[in-house]
Amino acid sequence: MGRPVYRKSERFIRKIHGIVTFKDGTTHPITTEDVSEGGIAFTITDDTKEGLDEEDDVKLSLKHQDFNIRLTGKIARISKRDKTKIYSAQVKVPNDENEDHYLQVIYDGINKTLPSVQDTWVTPFDELYMNLVVRAKTIERKISSRFNRF
């Protein structure tokens, strides 16, 4: 009932070092921003003037314990934070030990985007009330938009 969901899976903030291989074969060090089962966001950490474009195919290698996770992907979006480019890629993970290590990277950690402490003044009844209010507003908007068409 909240904001619209544009992703199939939740993203988790993870800072992992690795390497990206461009389509011309050059490699550059990266650090991940966040990871999910279907995607990864990363920054290139060296001073290269080269960059990636949307729809570019890439190969990624992430260091997890003593294993290099190999991923392939396609750049879906490029955003900026200050002067740093953040590349978001849709990734494919082979169904082998790469997948096991990649899932460990995603799920073996704390989800820092969720609150770790619940407000003690908010009771389950308050949560239920807020849920009902949001649902009622949604239903009210749908009904009023039907009447406004005529």
Side-chain angles (χ1 to χ4, degrees):
M1 293 300 298
R3 62 187 170 140
V5 178
Y6 298 109
R7 297 183 181 98
K8 292 180 182 176
S9 55
E10 185 68 30
R11 288 188 175 207
F12 297 94
I13 297 170
R14 301 287 185 263
K15 299 288 185 186
I16 301 166
H17 299 289
I19 295 172
V20 61
T21 304
F22 288 9
K23 59 185 173 187
D24 65 0
T26 59
T27 61
H28 300 279
I30 63 168
T31 300
T32 62
E33 296 289 316
D34 57 55
V35 295
S36 71
E37 287 189 36
I40 189 169
F42 63 91
T43 57
I44 298 174
T45 57
D46 65 2
D47 295 332
T48 182
K49 299 294 182 220
E50 297 178 57
L52 295 165
D53 295 317
E54 288 185 15
E55 300 296 319
D56 279 357
D57 291 322
V58 292
K59 293 180 184 176
L60 301 163
S61 176
L62 302 177
K63 187 74 171 169
H64 178 250
Q65 297 168 350
D66 291 331
F67 187 81
N68 287 323
I69 304 168
R70 306 267 183 226
L71 308 167
T72 58
K74 184 180 290 275
I75 301 298
R77 190 173 80 119
I78 302 169
S79 57
K80 284 189 176 182
R81 182 182 35 199
D82 300 325
K83 294 182 181 180
T84 305
K85 286 186 179 180
I86 300 172
Y87 299 96
S88 298
Q90 292 178 328
V91 294
K92 295 178 185 166
V93 185
N95 292 336
D96 56 12
E97 59 187 340
N98 283 294
E99 183 178 37
D100 295 338
H101 282 275
Y102 188 62
L103 291 174
Q104 282 183 350
V105 164
I106 296 170
Y107 295 112
D108 285 355
I110 300 171
N111 186 351
K112 296 177 184 175
T113 59
L114 297 175
S116 58
V117 178
Q118 183 175 352
D119 185 354
T120 56
W121 289 99
V122 178
T123 67
F125 295 110
D126 295 325
E127 294 283 347
L128 179 62
Y129 174 75
M130 287 186 279
N131 189 324
L132 290 172
V133 168
V134 169
R135 288 176 187 268
K137 285 181 182 178
T138 302
I139 292 169
E140 183 180 315
R141 270 186 260 141
K142 286 181 182 178
I143 292 171
S144 67
S145 68
R146 287 183 186 160
F147 288 122
N148 289 338
R149 289 186 205 163
F150 298 110

